């Protein structure tokens, strides 16, 4: 069973920035927003020649790609797939069917997103699927809470976070980027004992390393197991 992680946050909060320290030889980046990565030298790391980069917001195309990465030996080195962002996938499908006046388009969108998340959970056990997402500010009697932004009421009922093992809330304050790992007026969450603090560095490499230590029964890299057995 693969691990599905959500990284939510406002634009500019550091969602994509958190990719900077990942090993690009073990990472596949799906650029649904088609805007590239916000750090120097990313084009040399993520490109078609390295077979770790694609621009696509087509949910069914992404599903097919995940199936290939899961089963094809040519992608056995990949341990993390980034979809940046799931909102671009939803919005592009919504806009492409805007002229349709029936309700079917919303049902189809909800079903497509639900199937993408469901299939992301049943891939090989040493694979992380990381969904980048924008947040929605829910105001109620003057209070604020934050959740992953979705398109249509059907997806609100599904609650995308319920399909995810971990949801990190990316924030930026005074020039510093960080993740919140537990609920603080938001849907952020993480397994008990995975992190020592409610705030951690904005670094997905750190997050995956902590998971590798936490999930000792997973067939992760030998060097990680050696470090743990010292």
């Amino acid at each position: 069973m693969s691990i599905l992680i959500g990284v939510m946050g406002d634009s500019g909060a550091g969602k994509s920035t958190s990719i900077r320290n990942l090993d690009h030889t073990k990472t596949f980046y799906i650029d649904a927003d088609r805007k590239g990565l916000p750090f120097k030298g990313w084009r040399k790391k993520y490109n078609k020649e390295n077979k770790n980069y694609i621009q696509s917001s087509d949910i069914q195309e992404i599903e097919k790609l995940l199936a290939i990465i899961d089963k094809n030996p040519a992608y056995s080195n990949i341990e993390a797939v980034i979809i940046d962002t799931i909102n671009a996938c939803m919005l592009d499908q919504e806009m492409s069917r805007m002229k349709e006046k029936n309700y079917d388009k919303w049902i189809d969108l909800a079903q497509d997103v639900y199937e993408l998340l469901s299939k992301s959970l049943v891939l090989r056990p040493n694979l992380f699927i990381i969904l980048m997402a924008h947040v929605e500010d829910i105001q109620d009697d003057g209070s604020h809470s934050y959740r992953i932004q979705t398109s249509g009421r059907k997806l609100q009922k599904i609650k995308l976070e319920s399909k995810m093992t971990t949801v990190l809330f990316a924030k930026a304050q005074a020039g510093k980027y960080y993740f919140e790992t537990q609920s603080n007026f938001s849907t952020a969450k993480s397994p008990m004992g995975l992190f020592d603090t409610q705030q951690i560095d904005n670094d997905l490499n750190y997050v995956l390393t902590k998971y590798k230590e936490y999930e000792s029964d997973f067939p992760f890299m030998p060097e990680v197991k050696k470090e743990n057995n010292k």
Side-chain angles (χ1 to χ4, degrees):
M1 184 176 68
S2 47
I3 294 178
L4 180 58
I5 298 175
V7 178
M8 65 179 186
D10 288 322
S11 179
K15 297 186 298 297
S16 301
T17 301
S18 67
I19 300 168
R20 67 196 180 282
N21 291 328
L22 286 174
D23 185 343
H24 69 280
T25 66
K26 299 176 181 179
T27 305
F28 197 106
Y29 182 67
I30 301 174
D31 191 356
D33 284 350
R34 297 178 176 86
K35 63 179 182 181
L37 286 160
F39 50 84
K40 186 176 181 180
W42 73 267
R43 288 182 178 84
K44 293 181 179 179
K45 295 180 177 180
Y46 296 97
N47 52 62
K48 292 181 179 179
E49 289 72 25
N50 289 338
K51 298 180 180 179
N52 65 355
Y53 177 86
I54 188 174
Q55 289 186 351
S56 178
S57 59
D58 186 301
I59 296 174
Q60 294 180 351
E61 182 179 0
I62 291 172
E63 272 188 36
K64 292 177 182 177
L65 177 60
L66 290 179
I68 293 172
I69 293 173
D70 179 41
K71 299 295 185 183
N72 193 325
Y75 292 94
S76 61
N77 60 304
I78 297 298
E79 69 174 23
V81 180
I82 316 291
I83 302 174
D84 190 8
T85 59
I86 188 63
N87 300 91
C89 298
M90 292 186 284
L91 183 59
D92 285 358
Q93 182 167 329
E94 177 185 345
M95 296 301 290
S96 69
R97 300 180 63 176
M98 179 179 286
K99 293 182 179 180
E100 296 181 26
K101 300 188 182 300
N102 56 54
Y103 191 64
D104 289 349
K105 62 182 179 181
W106 298 110
I107 296 175
D108 291 345
L109 175 59
Q111 183 176 2
D112 286 349
V113 173
Y114 183 83
E115 288 184 356
L116 174 62
L117 269 61
S118 295
K119 291 178 180 179
S120 295
L121 287 167
V122 293
L123 305 175
R124 53 183 164 88
N126 57 350
L127 187 62
F128 293 93
I129 309 300
I130 302 171
L131 295 181
M132 302 294 186
H134 296 294
V135 291
E136 181 180 7
D137 182 358
I138 308 300
Q139 300 184 33
D140 184 19
D141 295 329
S143 64
H144 293 257
S145 63
Y146 298 88
R147 67 186 182 195
I148 291 177
Q149 186 180 59
T150 54
S151 300
R153 294 180 181 178
K154 286 286 184 183
L155 285 172
Q156 288 180 4
K157 291 180 180 179
I158 290 172
K159 293 184 174 59
L160 301 190
E161 293 92 334
S162 68
K163 304 289 288 183
M164 302 176 186
T165 309
T166 296
V167 179
L168 302 172
F169 194 176
K171 290 188 172 182
Q173 188 174 17
K176 180 182 178 181
Y177 296 107
Y178 62 93
F179 288 144
E180 285 186 353
T181 65
Q182 294 289 340
S183 175
N184 182 18
F185 302 104
S186 76
T187 54
K189 63 179 182 178
S190 59
M192 182 181 295
L194 178 59
F195 302 111
D196 298 327
T197 59
Q198 188 172 348
Q199 288 187 11
I200 61 173
D201 288 340
N202 173 294
D203 185 350
L204 278 174
N205 186 57
Y206 171 77
V207 172
L208 299 198
T209 299
K210 294 296 287 185
Y211 252 110
K212 293 170 188 178
E213 296 171 353
Y214 187 80
E215 298 284 359
S216 59
D217 59 330
F218 272 33
F220 283 117
M221 298 179 292
E223 59 267 27
V224 173
K225 290 184 177 180
K226 288 178 183 179
E227 289 179 2
N228 293 340
N229 292 333
K230 285 182 180 180

